[in-house]
Amino acid sequence: MMDKQPPGTRYIMKPGHTTNSKHFKKYVSTPEEVDAHLKNVMNDIYGNTPTCYELRYMMLQVRVSNNKEVKLVFLNKQFSHMVSTTVKAVAMSLPGVSTDELVSFATDVINGLPDDEYILDGLVRVDIFRSDEGTLVVNELESLEATYY
């Protein structure tokens, strides 16, 4: 992946199911930084100090300039609410995009999921941001231990 991006591209590394705790989330630019961060995380988790964490995978994503997310919660494919945000915060995060447009975009995403993809009784959070090119992008579909309020 990194060899297909221009030099100097920034990435974010983060594991699943740790809610960005401790030092697991990190911004990196080179394969050497990826390797060093993985070693630090592995040492922290599996080193000499007992831990309650289990790391199954790490995600590496290209970092976008506008990393302000809007989070929408759905229950059984029906929009419920936005998480920890206000209409003003939505407008600041995604100027020019209405709440109705966000709900419509996220609903299309949810309706595209197979019915058996829900882990917790149909509860899913859709995290959306605007790409550097200006399009709406799903950053994450969260259905396990997500923050819903």
Side-chain angles (χ1 to χ4, degrees):
M1 173 183 163
M2 294 181 91
D3 61 340
K4 296 187 184 341
Q5 300 294 328
T9 298
R10 300 279 294 158
Y11 302 86
I12 183 168
M13 284 182 68
K14 59 184 180 178
H17 313 300
T18 62
T19 60
N20 295 326
S21 57
K22 297 191 84 174
H23 67 277
F24 296 153
K25 179 175 115 175
K26 184 168 180 74
Y27 296 104
V28 295
S29 296
T30 66
E32 293 78 19
E33 289 176 344
V34 170
D35 186 54
H37 182 56
L38 284 173
K39 287 178 182 172
N40 285 339
V41 169
M42 292 297 111
N43 185 52
D44 183 54
I45 293 175
Y46 302 112
N48 296 328
T49 306
T51 181
C52 63
Y53 294 106
E54 178 179 331
L55 182 68
R56 294 181 182 242
Y57 60 89
M58 291 283 282
M59 296 178 276
L60 180 66
Q61 300 170 310
V62 174
R63 184 167 188 252
V64 295
S65 300
N66 174 17
N67 60 358
K68 297 174 183 159
E69 292 183 325
V70 175
K71 301 168 187 280
L72 293 90
V73 176
F74 287 76
L75 181 59
N76 297 320
K77 295 193 174 188
Q78 298 297 311
F79 173 69
S80 173
H81 61 279
M82 289 191 196
V83 179
S84 303
T85 191
T86 63
V87 172
K88 182 178 178 183
V90 171
M92 290 172 54
S93 296
L94 299 170
V97 180
S98 71
T99 300
D100 288 343
E101 289 174 283
L102 289 169
V103 171
S104 176
F105 177 82
T107 299
D108 288 345
V109 170
I110 292 295
N111 287 335
L113 292 174
D115 288 335
D116 61 353
E117 287 297 312
Y118 296 107
I119 297 173
L120 295 176
D121 299 326
L123 188 60
V124 176
R125 191 186 76 209
V126 183
D127 298 354
I128 301 170
F129 66 91
R130 189 189 305 259
S131 73
D132 290 340
E133 292 76 30
T135 58
L136 294 180
V137 176
V138 175
N139 186 41
E140 186 174 19
L141 290 174
E142 185 73 62
S143 63
L144 181 63
E145 296 183 26
T147 302
Y148 297 108
Y149 296 98

